[in-house]
Structure formats: C-alpha cells, structure tokens
Amino acid sequence: MKYSIFKIISQALSGNTGWQPAWEKRELKPSYNIIIVGGGGHGLATAYYLAKKFNISNIAVIEKGWIGSGNVGRNTTIIRSNYLLKQNQPFYELSLKLWENLEQELNYNAMVSQRGIMNLFHNDPQKDAFVRRGNSMKLSGAGAELLTKEQVMKVAPFLDYENARFPIKGALCQSRGGTVRHDAVAWGYARAASKLGVDIIENCEVKNIVVENGKCIAIETDRGLVKSNKTAICVSGASSLVMGTAGIKLPIESHVLQAFVSEAIKPLIPGVITFGAGHFYVSQSDKGGLVFGGDLDGYNSYAQRGNLPTIEDVCEGGMAIMPMIGRAKLVRLWGGIMDMSMDGSPFIDKTPIDNLFFNGGWCYGGFKATPASGLCYAHLLAKDEHHKVASEYKLDRFKRGMIIDEKGQGAQPNLH
Ligand SMILES: Cc1cc2nc3c(=O)[nH]c(=O)nc-3n(C[C@H](O)[C@H](O)[C@H](O)COP(=O)(O)OP(=O)(O)OC[C@H]3O[C@@H](n4cnc5c(N)ncnc54)[C@H](O)[C@@H]3O)c2cc1C
C-alpha cells in the first residue's frame, strides 16, 4: 500500500478499515543468504539497502524484542553532521543527505525536521575549537555558521545570559541539523524492507554464533538453528555479548544513557541546543514536550534503565543554561544501552571469522548515522569491500594506532 494524502482521505471516509500492517509477519526459514542480527535502525536500514541497492534476496532481520524496542526508539532524535575529522565528516554528511530524502525514498513520514542545531560555547578556547570544526564542515559542504551572543539571544532569549560560571559567548550552528521521529525511522525501514521481500522476525533471540573451521555457518536462536552464507551483527548495546558467543572480544563497553521528556508546553525551543560547558542537549517535540539528555550513567551495565544521580546531574545541566526548565514537570524518562567504543567512533567491518561481519560502537551518536550505516554495511556485505566514506571504521585500528578520537578525550569510553 502506497501512503499518500489521497489514501488518508479515502481511509478517513471508509472508517479507516483498509489499512494493512506496515510489515509482514513471516516464519523463520531454515537458511538465508544474509542474516542480520538486530532489528534496530542500523539492522533494518542495512536490510533495506541490501535489497534495494544491491538486489540481494533471501535476507532476514532477526530481532530479540519488537521493532523499535532498542536504542532506535529510545534516543533524543538529534541528527547532524557537525564533525571535524576526515574519517568521520564525509560519513555523517552522507547520512544527513540520506535523511534529507528519506521520507520520499521510504514513502514514510518520519518527521524529518531540519530545524537547526546550535552548540553553545562559553570561553575562547572552546570558540577556537568550534571555529576549527566549523571550517572543516564548510570545506566538506556540510555548512556551518558561527553565531555571536547577540544572534543566539535572538533565537533563544530564554537561555541564562547572566550566568557568571557558564557565560554564553556564541554558538556553532548547523542549520541542516535537526530532529527525526526516532521509532518512525525503524517502522519506515521495516516497511520498505519487508516490501522488498526481507523477512523481519521479531521476538526471536540469537543465542549463539556457530563457527566451524574459522567460518561462521549459522546462528542458534530460541527457535532453532538457522544457516546463512553471511551473518551481520548489528545489536548496539549487546555487541559484546553477541560477539562473545563467537569468541570475539571487542574494544567496546556497554553503558546506560537516559533520555527525558517534560510535560507539553507552548512552542519555545526553535531547534536543538547543546550546552558546551556541562553536558546537556535539548529540543522540543512536535507534541510540545522538551526532550533532553546529558551524560552516560558512567558505569557498565546491560540494564535498560538508569539511576537517580544522573537524573539530578542532567537536570542541573538544564538549570545552568535555562533555569526556567525548572518549572516544567518531568513526565517520562528511560534508558538505553550504548555500545561505547574506546575512541568514540564506530565499526563497520569484517571480523577475523569468515562470513561474520560487525557493525557497532556507535556510542550515543548512532541515530543520526542510521541511513549511512545501513548503506555502508550493505555495501560491505554485498561487495566484500568497504564503502569509501566508512573505510576507516575497522576493528584493528587500535592495533595500528589509527584511532579516530573526534573529541580528543583518549581511551575513556564513558567520556566520549
Ligand atoms: C537515551 C539515548 C539518547 C540518544 N540520543 C541520540 C541522538 O540524539 N542522536 C544520535 O545520533 N544518537 C543518539 N543515541 C544513540 C542511538 O540511539 C544509537 O547509537 C543507535 O540507535 C544504535 O543503533 P540501532 O538503532 O541499530 O540500535 P538498536 O535499536 O538498539 O538495535 C539493536 C537491536 O538488537 C537487538 N538485539 C540485541 N541482542 C540481540 C540478540 N541476541 N538477538 C537478536 N536481537 C538482539 C536489540 O533488541 C535491538 O533492538 C541515543 C541513545 C540513547 C539510549
């Protein structure tokens, strides 16, 4: 079924009785050409591009929970391509370009909203760093603008400009950045992939990767053994657990990150704002809730929930730049498990085991990467070679001393 305004009108007139499920519920087959483990945004996007761009058939996406239950439906919805390093910038810029046409491509309203992102700076060294990043963005065509304090005041008069500890001196702005309704991205890719013949298997957990003579030949699930020519792991926070079943130890730690939503208020925040002195980021959803977040909880965990000290810390960050947020009631919060790599950058790579591929290490920036990650992973799976914008996301980069440390924070996963 193609979605359109005419479809909405005709369905409204017929009592909305003709809608079909967005994707088909299919039975798990005994073997596949390619199995993607993990039905988050990245897994579903990979399946879609494999079928659409590389004409590959007999693909399954195997998901432990339901579509949208992982980080793809838990994030704070920010998209941007404001990166500095040459290993990252072209990749995230490709992703942003794919976002710009995603709804037409998938025939699905994912509420892609390029409302702009402003990274506030509070001192001169931070300004210098942002100017450098902005120049790199400009050179690669991503677009960037340095705003003065007065320009920021015009767009965001509600921020605290009198704060002596964190004076707002200006901002780096990417007007093409913004937000996308997170779970709609998973639903859109699932629907489009299913239409191209991909089997989307929900509520099926992969328990073990089966390796024989250095080659991955199958996976064991709670519904039995499934053979595959290629197996592509894409399980975000569960990366170390799943890859561990094949005996592979990853340079990844799992940490909790929480997200927060306030009660709905009148339109206030025009785009995304990030606080450069503490760690706080905020936008406003189309329903009116302030959507915000801050740092990781800071300890290793596989629990999809966080703890009170971080809630307090994030709220303090909010109060430091926009004290009026203290008047808004917090209505929801939740946690997701982040696959934090040691240098803050991801992996899209083959593994030392033949026919076993890995995608992960997205830290808390993987939502914006969803389209490019799917495309580049599909490219690697289909052609057996890296896509040119993802050619540095290799597992052995630490061994070669070629870390991609965008923030310059060293080997501290909980700081990236
Ligand atoms: C609170 C929060 C805020 C964030 N904010 C942002 C943001 O603003 N911008 C941004 O770019 N990024 C953000 N992120 C990060 C982003 O959400 C993730 O990096 C990205 O979604 C990860 O990729 P994914 O969608 O494929 O992961 P997921 O949706 O987590 O998909 C992985 C799937 O694998 C499944 N799985 C795990 N183990 C198994 C198994 N054994 N068998 C089968 N399936 C399995 C899981 O159930 C899950 O559905 C945020 C994350 C969180 C938690």
Side-chain angles (χ1 to χ4, degrees):
M1 176 192 275
K2 189 160 167 40
Y3 293 160
S4 68
I5 181 74
F6 305 109
K7 197 50 97 188
I8 293 173
I9 294 169
S10 71
Q11 284 297 323
L13 295 174
S14 59
N16 283 309
T17 49
W19 295 112
Q20 291 156 7
W23 58 91
E24 282 181 44
K25 306 268 177 217
R26 302 208 184 104
E27 290 302 315
L28 186 63
K29 293 184 202 138
S31 73
Y32 286 95
N33 194 1
I34 299 183
I35 290 180
I36 295 160
V37 182
H42 293 226
L44 292 163
T46 305
Y48 168 74
Y49 292 116
L50 275 170
K52 177 82 183 181
K53 295 247 185 281
F54 299 100
N55 289 323
I56 293 180
S57 56
N58 200 22
I59 304 166
V61 176
I62 301 188
E63 165 55 45
K64 165 171 95 166
W66 65 92
I67 295 302
S69 58
N71 292 340
V72 69
R74 290 170 180 267
N75 59 67
T76 37
T77 76
I78 303 166
I79 61 163
R80 57 188 171 89
S81 68
N82 52 3
Y83 280 75
L84 167 74
L85 299 181
K86 68 177 191 318
Q87 299 95 323
N88 283 328
Q89 176 49 237
F91 173 84
Y92 287 99
E93 181 50 25
L94 170 66
S95 211
L96 196 52
K97 288 216 169 77
L98 291 169
W99 283 118
E100 283 168 345
N101 192 39
L102 193 78
E103 292 165 307
Q104 288 72 20
E105 162 118 25
L106 301 182
N107 178 229
Y108 201 87
N109 179 11
M111 296 165 72
V112 177
S113 166
Q114 292 181 287
R115 53 185 74 181
I117 176 164
M118 278 198 313
N119 305 125
L120 303 176
F121 56 81
H122 308 269
N123 53 44
D124 290 343
Q126 201 174 29
K127 179 180 176 186
D128 289 348
F130 280 17
V131 168
R132 189 167 167 233
R133 180 141 61 103
N135 285 338
S136 162
M137 289 160 64
K138 277 184 168 172
L139 285 174
S140 72
E145 207 184 332
L146 199 72
L147 303 184
T148 60
K149 178 181 167 182
E150 289 67 35
Q151 286 171 306
V152 177
M153 277 171 116
K154 269 201 188 131
V155 210
F158 49 84
L159 297 176
D160 183 2
Y161 296 91
E162 306 303 319
N163 190 321
R165 190 168 172 213
F166 305 119
I168 296 169
K169 299 216 161 183
L172 177 66
C173 175
Q174 187 183 27
S175 55
R176 289 168 59 236
T179 57
V180 181
R181 176 168 172 169
H182 49 196
D183 40 14
V185 174
W187 301 332
Y189 272 119
R191 173 173 171 268
S194 173
K195 210 168 147 202
L196 294 169
V198 172
D199 284 0
I200 294 169
I201 314 289
E202 292 173 81
N203 301 309
C204 178
E205 182 168 356
V206 173
K207 300 279 190 189
N208 195 19
I209 297 169
V210 185
V211 180
E212 256 180 38
N213 301 322
K215 202 172 178 180
C216 173
I217 53 159
I219 49 161
E220 261 174 50
T221 74
D222 51 14
R223 295 190 205 167
L225 195 85
V226 193
K227 290 189 184 151
S228 66
N229 294 333
K230 288 181 180 174
T231 301
I233 309 300
C234 208
V235 292
S236 70
S239 293
S240 308
L241 294 176
V242 175
M243 292 299 278
T245 70
I248 293 182
K249 203 164 183 289
L250 296 170
I252 285 180
E253 283 182 8
S254 291
H255 286 259
V256 186
L257 179 68
Q258 303 190 58
F260 306 80
V261 181
S262 79
E263 63 185 324
I265 57 175
K266 285 183 184 171
L268 172 78
I269 300 187
V272 180
I273 299 175
T274 75
F275 173 31
H279 196 184
F280 179 81
Y281 35 92
V282 63
S283 63
Q284 187 167 18
S285 81
D286 291 353
K287 283 192 288 184
L290 303 182
V291 180
F292 57 95
D295 273 324
L296 296 168
D297 272 40
Y299 50 87
N300 299 145
S301 175
Y302 290 111
Q304 279 179 322
R305 51 162 298 171
N307 272 313
L308 277 169
T310 304
I311 299 174
E312 194 182 351
D313 183 64
V314 172
C315 293
E316 268 173 18
M319 290 295 286
I321 55 158
M322 43 187 293
M324 54 75 148
I325 201 174
R327 302 285 300 275
K329 289 195 185 85
L330 191 61
V331 290
R332 297 199 290 286
L333 58 99
W334 60 83
I337 315 165
M338 315 310 317
D339 37 338
M340 303 299 297
S341 68
M342 298 297 143
D343 58 359
S345 293
F347 305 99
I348 301 177
D349 203 4
K350 302 173 187 179
T351 71
I353 295 172
D354 284 349
N355 301 339
L356 180 65
F357 297 76
F358 178 68
N359 174 321
W362 292 99
C363 303
Y364 41 66
F367 177 62
K368 69 176 110 61
T370 306
S373 165
L375 183 62
C376 295
Y377 203 22
H379 187 280
L380 177 66
L381 286 158
K383 299 191 158 202
D384 234 27
E385 60 190 47
H386 290 88
H387 189 288
K388 65 175 188 306
V389 301
S391 59
E392 302 295 330
Y393 296 154
K394 295 192 179 131
L395 280 161
D396 70 353
R397 65 175 180 260
F398 298 95
K399 203 159 107 190
R400 290 181 288 116
M402 301 298 283
I403 57 166
I404 313 171
D405 186 355
E406 181 77 30
K407 286 195 186 167
Q409 272 170 331
Q412 286 281 74
N414 54 332
L415 293 183
H416 285 294

